[in-house]
Structures are given as structure tokens and as C-alpha cells.
Amino acid sequence: MRVYVILPAAGIGTRMAAGHSASAAPKQFLELAGTPVLIHTLRAFAAVPEVAAMYVAVRPAEMERLAAQVKEYGFSDRVRVVEGGDHRQESVANALAALECDADDIVLVHDAVRPLIDAATIQRTIHAVEKHDAAIVGLPAVDTIKQVERTADGAIITSTIPREYIVQAQTPQGFRYHLLKRAFAEAAADGFIGTDEASVVERAGAQVAVVQGSPANFKITQPGDLELAEFYLRR
Ligand code: C5P
């Protein structure tokens, strides 16, 4: 059994552009403590011995820049650069198509823009996939969660969802290769597009386990998030 990692990194970062001076660069290429965000992410997975190879999906215009960075930071032997798509699921599907592995191998998908993932959480996810075939990192909700209806006057609460039933999905999200492949094929046939891999696998009828995440494993999304990531790094 081997472990492969897919890092979707083909987002264009429109939410980030609003307030950041380096708005020309998508967030995965912005610098965090002097090193590109994506390189922090690659380092985290490279530190896990079970990881055989990492596939990074980027926009065609970024492929050359990333290939140069992969070489510069010494990842050439374990990283492959593939072309991303118009939405996250397409980027992951492209990387999945490029993967050559056995049915029982494990595929971890991780947002390139969550650079503070740690080796222990990655390993816990791998062990959970070995046991359950599908597992994601999730953060139990601490706030009270409301369901709302959007109206012209703003949001109106329709119900309160007991928070013990809620986890916020993070990444990595890990699956046996055969399960992820089948779930993606079914989603493509039905025209279903999810915002994470678990939603694709859930609709294929599989159970997905949850591994405890952490607030530090957040997704760099908006202005201010890089400063927050630097704060966590300093700790
Ligand atoms: O924008 P979002 O929060 O969905 O981004 C999550 C991850 O998916 C990011 O690492 C982003 O680069 C990636 N992504 C992608 N292809 C897209 C859109 C997002 O690989 N078309």
C-alpha cells in the first residue's frame, strides 16, 4: 500500500486579490515567512515517509513557474505538475487521471492553501483510511450553527442545528484509490460538482470517517489570512 497526494492549486484567488498588494499572484504562490505557500504545503507532506509522490494541479500559465520552484526547493523526485481545471473537482480529476497506482493505494487530497497541516494529522488520516477506506480531517463546531434562508432583506434563521452534529470539513481528505475513482466517474456521469471530495464519495454511497483537525489548518482565503498563518508559524 502506497500513499499519493493530490494538491489542487489552480484557484485564481479572487477573494484574496481585494486587499493584498501582491494581488497578481494566486494565494498559493504568495509568500508566507519568505517561502511560497505551496512550498510549505509540499514540505509538510514530504515529511511523511508513507508519501510516495505528490501531484500538483495548477493553471497552464503557472506550470512553468511551479516546475522551477519544485526544482529550486529540491522536490523534483517526488512531485509532478499537472494541469488544473475550471473548478476544484476538475483539477483533482485531472491529477487522478495522471496517477498510476494500485486499487488499494491511498490518495490524499489537500488544499494547496492549507500550508499549516502537520505530519501527525496527515498520518492519522492515512491510518483512518486504512481502517475505513475513506476519512477526512474535520473541525468540530464551537459556534452555534443556524440554518438560514437568504431574502432580499438579508438572512433569516429557519432552524438551529445542534452543534454536536456538525464538523467543518478541512483537508486532507483521503480515500482508497478505487473508491475515489469510482465516485468521481459517477459524479462526472451525473454532472455533480461538489466543493470537496468527501461529498463526491458520500453520494457514491460510502461512509466517510472524520479525524480531528485544528484551527491552524485553515485555508488561506482572504486578506489578513497570511498574517494569521505567520502568527501560527511563529508559535
Ligand atoms: O477556492 P477554493 O477555496 O475552493 O480553493 C481550494 C483549493 O482548490 C485551493 O488550493 C485552490 O487553488 C484549488 N482550486 C483548484 N482549481 C480550481 C479552483 C480551486 O485547484 N479551479
Side-chain angles (χ1 to χ4, degrees):
M1 186 279 300
R2 292 163 300 178
V3 176
Y4 292 88
V5 178
I6 292 175
L7 299 173
I12 50 176
T14 45
R15 284 164 294 191
M16 198 71 178
H20 201 278
S21 56
S23 57
K27 54 204 173 179
Q28 56 274 21
F29 293 108
L30 296 177
E31 292 210 342
L32 168 59
T35 305
V37 165
L38 180 53
I39 299 296
H40 284 274
T41 310
L42 284 170
R43 276 185 184 150
F45 284 90
V48 176
E50 291 92 328
V51 170
M54 299 176 272
Y55 288 65
V56 189
V58 289
R59 304 229 146 216
E62 308 284 355
M63 289 178 86
E64 217 170 287
R65 163 160 49 167
L66 179 60
Q69 285 182 350
V70 163
K71 210 165 157 195
E72 180 189 344
Y73 288 94
F75 292 119
S76 300
D77 55 333
R78 280 166 95 191
V79 173
R80 274 192 60 187
V81 180
V82 299
E83 196 173 315
D86 285 340
H87 41 84
R88 179 206 160 88
Q89 192 169 313
E90 203 178 325
S91 297
V92 174
N94 288 356
L96 206 50
L99 254 181
E100 281 168 25
C101 62
D102 295 337
D104 276 347
D105 284 341
I106 289 175
V107 181
L108 299 179
V109 183
H110 182 75
D111 293 323
V113 289
R114 293 186 193 269
L116 299 179
I117 184 66
D118 59 283
T121 305
I122 296 170
Q123 259 153 344
R124 278 205 311 278
T125 310
I126 294 170
H127 294 148
V129 180
E130 283 180 310
K131 190 167 168 195
H132 302 282
D133 292 344
I136 72 163
V137 174
L139 192 60
V142 288
D143 294 323
T144 297
I145 305 291
K146 305 290 187 188
Q147 185 160 345
V148 297
E149 195 184 304
R150 309 270 174 203
T151 73
D153 277 342
I156 305 288
I157 294 171
T158 52
S159 66
T160 300
I161 306 169
R163 65 184 167 205
E164 61 268 30
Y165 295 135
I166 303 291
V167 297
Q168 299 178 63
Q170 297 188 333
T171 66
Q173 303 200 345
F175 313 90
R176 296 279 183 195
Y177 172 73
H178 65 86
L179 174 57
L180 191 59
K181 208 56 188 166
R182 173 172 69 83
F184 263 61
E186 288 179 14
D190 299 343
F192 173 82
I193 294 176
T195 50
D196 72 349
E197 290 61 51
S199 58
V200 175
V201 169
E202 288 157 38
R203 73 183 289 284
Q207 282 200 331
V208 183
V210 180
V211 165
Q212 173 88 32
S214 85
N217 182 31
F218 73 96
K219 185 161 72 171
I220 293 179
T221 308
Q222 41 202 348
D225 283 353
L226 274 175
E227 288 78 2
L228 181 60
E230 273 172 21
F231 166 79
Y232 276 115
L233 267 185
R234 277 198 300 275
R235 289 203 316 178

mmCIF file of all heavy atoms in Angstrom, residues 8-11 15 27-28 57 59 85-88 91 111-113 219, ligand 1:
data_model
loop_
_atom_site.group_PDB
_atom_site.id
_atom_site.type_symbol
_atom_site.label_atom_id
_atom_site.label_comp_id
_atom_site.label_asym_id
_atom_site.label_seq_id
_atom_site.Cartn_x
_atom_site.Cartn_y
_atom_site.Cartn_z
ATOM 1 N N PRO A 8 -4.735 20.318 -5.208
ATOM 2 C CA PRO A 8 -5.342 21.253 -6.151
ATOM 3 C C PRO A 8 -4.834 22.660 -5.852
ATOM 4 O O PRO A 8 -4.964 23.142 -4.728
ATOM 5 C CB PRO A 8 -6.846 21.113 -5.887
ATOM 6 C CG PRO A 8 -6.972 20.499 -4.543
ATOM 7 C CD PRO A 8 -5.703 19.768 -4.240
ATOM 8 N N ALA A 9 -4.228 23.284 -6.856
ATOM 9 C CA ALA A 9 -3.629 24.617 -6.658
ATOM 10 C C ALA A 9 -3.908 25.496 -7.870
ATOM 11 O O ALA A 9 -3.080 26.305 -8.268
ATOM 12 C CB ALA A 9 -2.124 24.478 -6.428
ATOM 13 N N ALA A 10 -5.094 25.287 -8.473
ATOM 14 C CA ALA A 10 -5.392 26.028 -9.705
ATOM 15 C C ALA A 10 -6.411 27.142 -9.483
ATOM 16 O O ALA A 10 -6.962 27.674 -10.433
ATOM 17 C CB ALA A 10 -5.886 25.060 -10.777
ATOM 18 N N GLY A 11 -6.661 27.483 -8.215
ATOM 19 C CA GLY A 11 -7.587 28.577 -7.928
ATOM 20 C C GLY A 11 -6.968 29.904 -8.349
ATOM 21 O O GLY A 11 -5.747 30.034 -8.427
ATOM 22 N N ARG A 15 -10.858 36.209 -3.968
ATOM 23 C CA ARG A 15 -11.183 36.783 -2.650
ATOM 24 C C ARG A 15 -9.972 37.441 -2.032
ATOM 25 O O ARG A 15 -10.059 38.418 -1.317
ATOM 26 C CB ARG A 15 -11.723 35.688 -1.713
ATOM 27 C CG ARG A 15 -13.133 35.297 -2.013
ATOM 28 C CD ARG A 15 -13.508 33.990 -1.352
ATOM 29 N NE ARG A 15 -12.753 32.862 -1.887
ATOM 30 C CZ ARG A 15 -13.037 31.596 -1.638
ATOM 31 N NH1 ARG A 15 -14.034 31.295 -0.846
ATOM 32 N NH2 ARG A 15 -12.325 30.629 -2.160
ATOM 33 N N LYS A 27 -3.197 32.937 -4.338
ATOM 34 C CA LYS A 27 -2.765 32.818 -2.933
ATOM 35 C C LYS A 27 -1.779 31.686 -2.669
ATOM 36 O O LYS A 27 -0.924 31.785 -1.793
ATOM 37 C CB LYS A 27 -4.005 32.709 -2.025
ATOM 38 C CG LYS A 27 -4.936 31.619 -2.436
ATOM 39 C CD LYS A 27 -6.371 31.880 -1.951
ATOM 40 C CE LYS A 27 -7.305 30.838 -2.546
ATOM 41 N NZ LYS A 27 -8.688 30.984 -2.135
ATOM 42 N N GLN A 28 -1.843 30.610 -3.478
ATOM 43 C CA GLN A 28 -0.904 29.507 -3.242
ATOM 44 C C GLN A 28 0.541 29.866 -3.579
ATOM 45 O O GLN A 28 1.473 29.180 -3.188
ATOM 46 C CB GLN A 28 -1.338 28.227 -3.991
ATOM 47 C CG GLN A 28 -1.529 28.375 -5.488
ATOM 48 C CD GLN A 28 -2.929 28.864 -5.844
ATOM 49 O OE1 GLN A 28 -3.636 29.441 -5.033
ATOM 50 N NE2 GLN A 28 -3.318 28.638 -7.079
ATOM 51 N N ALA A 57 -1.910 20.303 -9.148
ATOM 52 C CA ALA A 57 -2.670 20.797 -10.304
ATOM 53 C C ALA A 57 -2.671 22.314 -10.290
ATOM 54 O O ALA A 57 -3.132 22.928 -9.322
ATOM 55 C CB ALA A 57 -4.101 20.261 -10.255
ATOM 56 N N ARG A 59 -2.923 26.106 -12.923
ATOM 57 C CA ARG A 59 -3.349 26.679 -14.212
ATOM 58 C C ARG A 59 -2.211 26.548 -15.223
ATOM 59 O O ARG A 59 -1.038 26.616 -14.829
ATOM 60 C CB ARG A 59 -3.684 28.156 -14.045
ATOM 61 C CG ARG A 59 -4.706 28.387 -12.996
ATOM 62 C CD ARG A 59 -5.817 29.275 -13.466
ATOM 63 N NE ARG A 59 -7.012 28.806 -12.801
ATOM 64 C CZ ARG A 59 -8.224 28.772 -13.334
ATOM 65 N NH1 ARG A 59 -8.418 29.197 -14.562
ATOM 66 N NH2 ARG A 59 -9.253 28.324 -12.657
ATOM 67 N N GLY A 85 -8.141 22.541 -13.582
ATOM 68 C CA GLY A 85 -9.359 22.784 -14.360
ATOM 69 C C GLY A 85 -10.082 24.022 -13.866
ATOM 70 O O GLY A 85 -9.577 24.758 -13.014
ATOM 71 N N ASP A 86 -11.302 24.210 -14.382
ATOM 72 C CA ASP A 86 -12.056 25.430 -14.067
ATOM 73 C C ASP A 86 -12.642 25.420 -12.665
ATOM 74 O O ASP A 86 -13.012 26.455 -12.137
ATOM 75 C CB ASP A 86 -13.180 25.637 -15.082
ATOM 76 C CG ASP A 86 -12.612 26.136 -16.395
ATOM 77 O OD1 ASP A 86 -11.483 26.668 -16.383
ATOM 78 O OD2 ASP A 86 -13.286 25.970 -17.422
ATOM 79 N N HIS A 87 -12.833 24.237 -12.104
ATOM 80 C CA HIS A 87 -13.232 24.174 -10.700
ATOM 81 C C HIS A 87 -12.404 23.105 -10.005
ATOM 82 O O HIS A 87 -11.776 22.270 -10.665
ATOM 83 C CB HIS A 87 -14.736 23.950 -10.518
ATOM 84 C CG HIS A 87 -15.311 22.955 -11.467
ATOM 85 N ND1 HIS A 87 -15.259 21.619 -11.229
ATOM 86 C CD2 HIS A 87 -15.915 23.110 -12.673
ATOM 87 C CE1 HIS A 87 -15.819 20.984 -12.235
ATOM 88 N NE2 HIS A 87 -16.221 21.855 -13.137
ATOM 89 N N ARG A 88 -12.425 23.170 -8.685
ATOM 90 C CA ARG A 88 -11.574 22.292 -7.885
ATOM 91 C C ARG A 88 -11.710 20.815 -8.273
ATOM 92 O O ARG A 88 -10.714 20.107 -8.414
ATOM 93 C CB ARG A 88 -11.955 22.508 -6.416
ATOM 94 C CG ARG A 88 -11.206 21.664 -5.441
ATOM 95 C CD ARG A 88 -12.057 21.486 -4.188
ATOM 96 N NE ARG A 88 -11.585 20.323 -3.475
ATOM 97 C CZ ARG A 88 -10.626 20.350 -2.577
ATOM 98 N NH1 ARG A 88 -10.104 21.478 -2.239
ATOM 99 N NH2 ARG A 88 -10.223 19.250 -2.002
ATOM 100 N N SER A 91 -9.785 19.987 -11.274
ATOM 101 C CA SER A 91 -8.339 19.956 -11.003
ATOM 102 C C SER A 91 -7.957 18.613 -10.375
ATOM 103 O O SER A 91 -6.962 17.993 -10.754
ATOM 104 C CB SER A 91 -7.954 21.098 -10.058
ATOM 105 O OG SER A 91 -8.213 22.342 -10.662
ATOM 106 N N ASP A 111 -5.954 20.854 0.134
ATOM 107 C CA ASP A 111 -5.923 22.211 -0.428
ATOM 108 C C ASP A 111 -4.502 22.752 -0.352
ATOM 109 O O ASP A 111 -3.919 22.810 0.742
ATOM 110 C CB ASP A 111 -6.820 23.155 0.390
ATOM 111 C CG ASP A 111 -8.284 22.820 0.281
ATOM 112 O OD1 ASP A 111 -8.721 22.422 -0.809
ATOM 113 O OD2 ASP A 111 -9.006 22.969 1.298
ATOM 114 N N ALA A 112 -3.986 23.196 -1.501
ATOM 115 C CA ALA A 112 -2.635 23.779 -1.516
ATOM 116 C C ALA A 112 -2.533 24.962 -0.554
ATOM 117 O O ALA A 112 -1.457 25.264 -0.041
ATOM 118 C CB ALA A 112 -2.303 24.238 -2.935
ATOM 119 N N VAL A 113 -3.681 25.600 -0.302
ATOM 120 C CA VAL A 113 -3.685 26.816 0.514
ATOM 121 C C VAL A 113 -3.947 26.537 2.003
ATOM 122 O O VAL A 113 -4.389 27.426 2.728
ATOM 123 C CB VAL A 113 -4.699 27.837 -0.044
ATOM 124 C CG1 VAL A 113 -4.189 28.413 -1.352
ATOM 125 C CG2 VAL A 113 -6.073 27.204 -0.237
ATOM 126 N N LYS A 219 -7.716 27.532 5.755
ATOM 127 C CA LYS A 219 -7.482 27.767 4.322
ATOM 128 C C LYS A 219 -7.188 29.241 4.104
ATOM 129 O O LYS A 219 -8.015 30.085 4.442
ATOM 130 C CB LYS A 219 -8.750 27.335 3.577
ATOM 131 C CG LYS A 219 -8.671 27.396 2.093
ATOM 132 C CD LYS A 219 -9.756 26.524 1.439
ATOM 133 C CE LYS A 219 -11.151 27.088 1.566
ATOM 134 N NZ LYS A 219 -12.137 26.376 0.764
HETATM 135 O O1 C5P B 1 -11.188 28.358 -3.922
HETATM 136 P P1 C5P B 1 -11.256 27.170 -3.018
HETATM 137 O O2 C5P B 1 -11.399 27.562 -1.608
HETATM 138 O O3 C5P B 1 -12.214 26.126 -3.457
HETATM 139 O O4 C5P B 1 -9.810 26.521 -3.148
HETATM 140 C C1 C5P B 1 -9.437 25.306 -2.526
HETATM 141 C C2 C5P B 1 -8.240 24.739 -3.260
HETATM 142 O O5 C5P B 1 -8.651 24.302 -4.549
HETATM 143 C C3 C5P B 1 -7.118 25.775 -3.474
HETATM 144 O O6 C5P B 1 -5.868 25.189 -3.195
HETATM 145 C C4 C5P B 1 -7.288 26.145 -4.943
HETATM 146 O O7 C5P B 1 -6.059 26.543 -5.557
HETATM 147 C C5 C5P B 1 -7.803 24.839 -5.531
HETATM 148 N N1 C5P B 1 -8.563 25.030 -6.792
HETATM 149 C C6 C5P B 1 -8.152 24.331 -7.940
HETATM 150 N N2 C5P B 1 -8.808 24.530 -9.125
HETATM 151 C C7 C5P B 1 -9.811 25.410 -9.208
HETATM 152 C C8 C5P B 1 -10.252 26.118 -8.050
HETATM 153 C C9 C5P B 1 -9.611 25.896 -6.845
HETATM 154 O O8 C5P B 1 -7.203 23.549 -7.888
HETATM 155 N N3 C5P B 1 -10.376 25.613 -10.392
#
